[in-house]
């Protein structure tokens, strides 16, 4: 069963009516509770909505259209409700994009679904917004920006928490940006976006991983593609600057010569001090490095690096790169998980970026 | 690349304000001596906030990128 709220209609006005003997509701994806169940033939008992899948982000005036998907294990003999086959978290993301003014094509929907299923298979995807706790040692994604939809609102979505909230690490764009099917591009003058991710507040360890995809082949002298902090223990990435890819992640900066700045970059480290830095799933650097302390509360930003406790940007460091994605994760990412992430995000970008 | 010239008070007025849904102005200083306050062409072109439509009439100047030493390089 699929029900749509009309333009401007409050989701609480939607009434679900069941015409068959629906035995159970496994998942309901909606905008806001409460939904009203008008009738439930053969039962006569209240149906309890599974709020764990209720998206809580939108205010009513943001709702354009919402899809409610019900999966049933009906064994009554009545024709069963078709199961979409779409991962519930992918459906939430698709619905969110739709509510933000971008209706994904069937191909994009399929690729979002494929991406999430691949990340889940590698045990590196979680929806932390519903209280999920990965537990110690399990690599999780805090933010994954896919920059979809040619508009700032859908481009801001965090796939790991599709809500329009700072607390969901939704991107907040500032300055000059442009959005296209290729991704999001800062202007190199004053464009950056906040993540609201302050990693020193996420966990006490320095096991972190982050990365991005680049559709631009540039070689600036001082721009920074993303990071945080200043003064000795930066955490930042740069696809190419003066001929070198740069990485810092609670350890001294590493510069590795690269021929261009196209492709997917991923840096990850473990608590023992080993830093790995890959480009297109090929290792650029592996080494044991001294580990800096979690001493600052600086916030990761994309398109530059902040150099104060808030978000003051060094004016010469803005990036004009086209980003296909950015990812920020924590806890140790194993080599196999890193390869799985690279494969999944590469496949996603190849499928939807021209 | 051209950018749009602001006075200091105009920069204060725009800073942190939304020029379109979900995106805020970010006045910055260029590399001139003395530095100019500027915003980008994108911010003016994409502005849908009626309160700030005047940014489209700002004078255009050539962008002078600030020269900053990367402290970690």
């Amino acid at each position: 069963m699929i029900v749509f709220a009309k333009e401007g209609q409050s989701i609480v006005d939607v009434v679900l009516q069941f015409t068959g003997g629906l035995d159970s509701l496994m998942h309901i994806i909606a905008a806001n509770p409460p939904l009203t169940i008008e009738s439930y033939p053969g039962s006569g008992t209240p149906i309890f909505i599974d709020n764990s899948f209720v998206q809580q982000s939108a205010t009513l005036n943001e709702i354009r259209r919402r899809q409610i998907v019900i999966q049933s294990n009906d064994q009554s003999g009545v024709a069963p409700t078709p199961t979409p086959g779409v991962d519930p978290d992918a459906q939430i993301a698709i619905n969110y994009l739709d509510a933000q003014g971008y209706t994904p094509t069937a191909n994009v929907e399929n690729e979002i679904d494929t991406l999430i299923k691949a990340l889940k298979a590698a045990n590196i995807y979680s929806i932390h917004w519903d209280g999920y706790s990965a537990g110690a040692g399990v690599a999780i994604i805090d933010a994954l920006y896919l920059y979809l939809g040619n508009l700032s609102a859908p481009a801001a979505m965090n796939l790991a928490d599709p809500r329009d909230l700072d607390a969901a690490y939704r991107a907040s764009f500032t300055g000059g940006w442009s959005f296209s099917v290729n991704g999001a591009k800062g202007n190199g003058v004053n464009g950056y976006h906040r993540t609201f991710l302050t990693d020193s507040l996420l966990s006490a360890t320095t096991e972190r991983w982050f990365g991005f995809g680049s559709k631009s082949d540039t070689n600036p002298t001082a721009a920074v593609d993303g990071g945080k902090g200043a003064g000795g223990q930066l955490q930042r990435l740069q696809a190419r600057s003066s001929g070198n890819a740069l990485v810092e992640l609670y350890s001294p900066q590493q510069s590795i010569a690269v021929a261009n700045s196209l492709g997917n970059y991923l840096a990850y480290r473990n608590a023992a001090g080993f830093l790995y830095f890959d480009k297109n799933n090929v290792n650029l650097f592996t080494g044991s490095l001294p580990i800096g302390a979690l001493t600052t509360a600086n916030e990761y930003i994309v398109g530059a690096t902040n150099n104060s406790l808030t978000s003051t940007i060094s004016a010469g460091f803005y990036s004009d790169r086209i980003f296909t994605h950015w990812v920020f994760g924590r806890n140790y990412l194993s080599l196999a998980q890193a390869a799985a992430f690279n494969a999944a995000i590469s496949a996603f970008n190849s499928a939807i970026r021209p | 690349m051209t950018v749009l010239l602001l006075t200091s008070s105009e920069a204060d007025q725009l800073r942190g304000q939304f020029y379109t849904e979900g995106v805020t102005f970010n006045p910055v200083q260029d590399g001139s001596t003395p530095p100019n306050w500027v915003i980008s062409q994108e911010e003016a072109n994409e502005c849908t906030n009626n309160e700030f439509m005047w940014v489209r009439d700002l004078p255009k100047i050539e962008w002078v990128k600030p020269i900053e030493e990367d402290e970690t390089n």
Side-chain angles (χ1 to χ4, degrees), chain A residues 16-73:
Chain A
L16 304 181
Q17 293 181 301
F18 302 106
T19 56
L22 197 62
D23 286 337
S24 67
L25 302 176
M26 297 175 66
H27 303 307
I28 291 182
I29 303 169
N32 283 290
L35 297 172
T36 301
I37 306 300
E38 189 171 87
S39 62
Y40 183 40
S43 170
T45 57
I47 297 172
F48 295 94
I49 306 301
D50 180 1
N51 282 336
S52 67
F53 288 94
V54 173
Q55 188 177 353
Q56 300 171 355
S57 64
T59 58
L60 293 181
N61 62 7
E62 290 176 314
I63 295 169
R64 297 180 178 85
R65 192 183 69 175
R66 290 289 174 158
Q67 189 180 46
I68 302 168
V69 177
I70 301 171
Q71 299 177 341
S72 169
N73 64 353

Side-chain angles (χ1 to χ4, degrees), chain A residues 191-230:
Chain A
Y192 71 99
H193 84 67
R194 296 185 64 176
T195 66
F196 300 93
L197 263 167
T198 304
D199 77 337
S200 59
L201 304 180
L202 293 173
S203 70
T205 78
T206 56
E207 291 182 313
R208 293 285 187 276
W209 51 286
F210 62 167
F212 65 92
S214 165
K215 285 284 280 187
S216 304
D217 188 9
T218 63
N219 188 28
T221 56
V224 177
D225 289 323
K228 73 178 195 71

Side-chain angles (χ1 to χ4, degrees), chain A residues 233-246:
Chain A
Q233 292 298 338
L234 292 160
Q235 291 81 56
R236 67 173 194 175
L237 285 176
Q238 167 68 16
R240 195 174 188 227
S241 179
S242 302
N244 296 316
L246 305 177

Side-chain angles (χ1 to χ4, degrees), chain A residues 104-133:
Chain A
T105 64
N107 180 49
V108 172
E109 287 191 5
N110 182 60
E111 292 303 326
I112 291 172
D113 184 49
T114 301
L115 173 63
I116 287 184
K117 286 174 177 172
L119 296 178
K120 285 184 173 180
N123 198 25
I124 50 178
Y125 180 86
S126 65
I127 45 171
H128 52 82
W129 56 274
D130 70 347
Y132 174 83
S133 177

